[in-house]
Amino acid sequence: MHPDFRMLVLANRPGFPFLGNDFFGALGDIFSCHAVDNPKPQAELAMLKQYGPDVPEATLRKLVAAFGELRSMADQGTITYPYSTREVVNIVKHLQKFPNEGLANVVRNVFDFDSYNKDMREVLIEALHKHGIPIGAKPTSVNLAKELPLPEVRMTGYWTLNQGGNARRKLLCPTETRTIDVKGPAFLRVQSYPCNRQESRALSFTEEKAHWQIPMNEVNIICDVVSSDDTLYVAMCNPVSLYSMKERGENIQCMELYDVFPRTISGVWQPFVTVAPLGSPLDGQVVLHEEQSNTVLHLDLVTGAVRRLMLPPDSDQTPSRASNWWSNKEQQGGHKMCRDFSQKNWLLFYKEDGNQLEVLDVLEGRVHSISLPINLKSVFLVAEDRWLLLESNTKKKFLLTKPMHMAAEDSGVCQLHSIAEDPVSAGHGAGSAEVLVPQMLSNEQLPNENLSAALDQRIISPNRVLADTSCFAQIIVGFPDLMSPNEVYTFKRPVDLSAIKSSESGSHTFFRGALQSGTAKRENCVSLLSANQVVRAIPPTKVPLRDIYPKDVTPPMTAAYLEVTDLTSKKLKYIPVPR
């Protein structure tokens, strides 16, 4: 993956209201700028609010950041004129008096660009663009992704929980609790680098809001990215390192774990890591999990403390030579971490083809081991106390219900309910016996208004959003709370994603089990429940480029596309992610 890491914010509005002369004035409301930590910009911001009480604070912050950089450039001798607070005050006064004129026009009046030579003009414009002041942009520069119609939603079947007495007795899962063994702490250096955030909407308006560059080695590979509130965590695997930054922060922190994970073992092994941010009172701390060795680390990015949490060893673990995740041979099932509820300071671990679940309570320092009568393919945490399990060979689905507080004396044992998947008796999907494997299953439900909009009927019910390779989205109505048959509604794809060949090489092949073939090591698909959307990252080879771009237009060079399925507007769009 190229080290240019970009953040994209989706514009979720049907149509686009910003037309006419106030295009960039309205744009100022949604632009963002650097978070300002030092007291001088904060004092300047407070002063500007006195002159422009009705000017949006985002616009004021943008001006403070841009002119602060210009003053810094003057101190360094890059530019000759020391722009002072006087110019900013005049701009704010003008915006207060003429709110519809637009920020770009007002700033252009302050800067007499014609009097500068070409090089100086480029330096000034680049500094203003960096902070989102759209000098030189045109009101027609709107390049949002083209919207395609979404296939009609159909009811395709039922999920029914097995409540039989005999089956229920057989599917009790004993639980054992023990105190976790902690090694450490060791203290590693946390390095800080300046974060050069660039606003992306200075010349044209697209879904991309901002981008910045991670100070990473060119041979390193991004394994995992996760956000917690306004903090982004990026995990690398070659060598293993962790980056942390505030979305609008000035700096990016880096913790290199080279001493914990040596670069190679026997010259072939490469780690693959997942990161889970913890919640209060462990804010700013994360758990890092390595899939092959099942190493679990507790990292504190403030102090640099690293602790190793020792999970119980696998009962079926046998010593074998280290496997190479670049090789063509099918490797043994790795260990997985489910982090859906990491903000509540607990995580779930399992091994593919194993029959044990390990629930780690980071705050209490305990691990609960749940023994299962089935071998696992995958686990989805659909709620804190209800988990969907897939059996390894048959891919049959089970719902595991557990007491909310496993440490309680009277917690009892977990219960496993088999789920029968039945097609509808007639119509679309009838007789389909194929069992599909979810790539994403939400851990919360769609709000009632979003559920009603998606299904075009007034409905109030528990629900979960699911996605697999055969559909854009599925909604299971009634799951996981209702014991009656749960209806499955599907937005079906015209062509299954797994049936589309990805022969091209490119940045998306980094996550493949082999250099040219094999399935992706991590599926990037998420549900945005409040926006009523499912967003999936897919390679360009699996995007219908002919439908998006006219015949005479060459598609842009992209790392991937974000496929956005909007269940309210019933639209589909593909947002290019720049290389």
Side-chain angles (χ1 to χ4, degrees), residues 48-59:
L48 292 178
K49 285 181 181 177
Q50 303 292 321
Y51 288 102
D54 300 325
V55 178
E57 185 172 328
T59 302

Side-chain angles (χ1 to χ4, degrees), residues 400-437:
L400 183 133
T401 57
K402 76 170 191 68
M404 282 287 283
H405 302 288
M406 299 194 67
E409 293 276 335
D410 56 347
S411 64
V413 292
C414 298
Q415 296 178 7
L416 201 61
H417 311 274
S418 64
I419 296 176
E421 293 184 76
D422 304 309
V424 290
S425 56
H428 180 79
S432 174
E434 185 182 4
V435 179
L436 297 169
V437 179

Side-chain angles (χ1 to χ4, degrees), residues 18-29 51-56 59-60 62-63 90-107:
F18 303 136
L19 299 173
N21 292 332
D22 64 338
F23 170 73
F24 289 111
L27 219 55
D29 296 347
Y51 288 102
D54 300 325
V55 178
T59 302
L60 298 179
K62 197 179 332 176
L63 289 167
N90 288 336
I91 291 173
V92 172
K93 282 181 175 180
H94 194 97
L95 288 172
Q96 174 70 20
K97 193 172 182 180
F98 305 102
N100 293 327
E101 185 164 340
L103 180 59
N105 288 334
V106 181
V107 172

Side-chain angles (χ1 to χ4, degrees), residues 217 219-221 236-241 257-258 261 263 270-271:
N217 190 317
V219 300
N220 215 334
I221 300 167
M236 316 279 187
C237 63
N238 186 45
V240 177
S241 48
L257 300 167
Y258 184 86
F261 298 97
R263 193 181 194 89
Q270 287 284 1

Side-chain angles (χ1 to χ4, degrees), residues 48-186:
L48 292 178
K49 285 181 181 177
Q50 303 292 321
Y51 288 102
D54 300 325
V55 178
E57 185 172 328
T59 302
L60 298 179
R61 287 184 177 276
K62 197 179 332 176
L63 289 167
V64 168
F67 277 82
E69 180 155 335
L70 290 175
R71 284 193 287 271
S72 175
M73 291 166 68
D75 293 340
Q76 297 166 13
T78 309
I79 60 176
T80 53
Y81 183 75
Y83 290 95
S84 66
T85 308
R86 182 176 65 250
E87 280 91 351
V88 190
V89 169
N90 288 336
I91 291 173
V92 172
K93 282 181 175 180
H94 194 97
L95 288 172
Q96 174 70 20
K97 193 172 182 180
F98 305 102
N100 293 327
E101 185 164 340
L103 180 59
N105 288 334
V106 181
V107 172
R108 194 181 296 110
N109 291 335
V110 170
F111 292 87
D112 184 10
F113 287 107
D114 293 335
S115 65
Y116 297 108
N117 63 41
K118 181 184 176 184
D119 293 339
M120 184 62 65
R121 189 160 57 240
E122 287 179 357
V123 168
L124 286 172
I125 290 177
E126 184 179 339
L128 295 171
H129 283 180
K130 175 182 174 181
H131 299 285
I133 298 176
I135 298 294
K138 299 175 181 177
T140 54
S141 302
V142 179
N143 297 313
L144 296 177
K146 180 181 177 181
E147 292 186 332
L148 306 174
L150 198 62
E152 187 180 348
V153 63
R154 307 249 184 172
M155 195 179 86
T156 54
Y158 302 92
W159 283 13
T160 308
L161 262 64
N162 187 341
Q163 290 287 291
N166 290 335
R168 185 175 174 184
R169 286 181 65 85
K170 290 176 186 174
L171 297 176
L172 296 178
C173 306
T175 303
E176 180 186 345
T177 300
R178 71 188 77 180
T179 303
I180 196 160
D181 189 14
V182 180
K183 303 288 186 186

Side-chain angles (χ1 to χ4, degrees), residues 145-151 471-473 491-494 534-536 538 544 547-548 562-567 569-575:
K146 180 181 177 181
E147 292 186 332
L148 306 174
L150 198 62
C471 67
F472 294 107
F491 294 87
K492 195 164 181 63
R493 288 181 180 276
V534 173
V535 182
R536 182 196 298 268
I538 57 177
D547 298 333
I548 303 172
L562 293 183
E563 179 188 74
V564 183
T565 302
D566 194 307
L567 303 180
S569 67
K570 305 295 191 296
K571 298 291 185 182
L572 181 69
K573 55 187 172 185
Y574 293 90
I575 299 169

Side-chain angles (χ1 to χ4, degrees), residues 145-342:
K146 180 181 177 181
E147 292 186 332
L148 306 174
L150 198 62
E152 187 180 348
V153 63
R154 307 249 184 172
M155 195 179 86
T156 54
Y158 302 92
W159 283 13
T160 308
L161 262 64
N162 187 341
Q163 290 287 291
N166 290 335
R168 185 175 174 184
R169 286 181 65 85
K170 290 176 186 174
L171 297 176
L172 296 178
C173 306
T175 303
E176 180 186 345
T177 300
R178 71 188 77 180
T179 303
I180 196 160
D181 189 14
V182 180
K183 303 288 186 186
F187 289 90
L188 298 181
R189 182 182 171 202
V190 180
Q191 300 178 75
S192 183
Y193 300 95
C195 171
N196 194 18
R197 177 188 168 103
Q198 301 277 339
E199 293 293 335
S200 302
R201 293 172 172 172
L203 279 175
S204 66
F205 188 88
T206 67
E207 286 84 0
E208 183 180 308
K209 183 182 179 187
H211 66 271
W212 52 90
Q213 197 153 18
I214 295 178
M216 59 185 269
N217 190 317
E218 283 195 8
V219 300
N220 215 334
I221 300 167
I222 294 177
C223 258
D224 196 21
V225 180
V226 66
S227 63
S228 173
D229 297 324
D230 66 337
T231 304
L232 287 171
Y233 298 97
V234 183
M236 316 279 187
C237 63
N238 186 45
V240 177
S241 48
L242 181 69
Y243 290 85
S244 163
M245 61 176 293
K246 298 283 186 185
E247 186 200 328
R248 290 176 173 80
E250 298 284 349
N251 296 303
I252 180 167
Q253 282 71 41
C254 172
M255 182 184 284
E256 292 186 347
L257 300 167
Y258 184 86
D259 294 332
V260 182
F261 298 97
R263 193 181 194 89
T264 56
I265 295 177
S266 305
V268 294
W269 180 75
Q270 287 284 1
F272 197 77
V273 293
T274 308
V275 62
L278 301 174
S280 177
L282 304 177
D283 299 305
Q285 301 175 33
V286 302
V287 167
L288 193 80
H289 178 238
E290 201 286 309
E291 289 190 2
Q292 290 188 46
S293 62
N294 201 26
T295 302
V296 181
L297 300 179
H298 178 213
L299 309 178
D300 188 330
L301 281 144
V302 177
T303 64
V306 179
R307 296 172 175 86
R308 180 166 181 182
L309 309 180
M310 308 298 291
L311 291 179
D314 296 326
S315 57
D316 59 345
Q317 195 172 34
T318 54
S320 62
R321 68 178 186 84
S323 60
N324 173 15
W325 66 278
W326 298 104
S327 70
N328 283 310
K329 297 176 182 176
E330 278 295 318
Q331 62 189 52
Q332 290 182 326
H335 298 82
K336 302 293 182 183
M337 173 173 72
C338 297
R339 63 182 177 200
D340 302 65
F341 294 98
S342 66

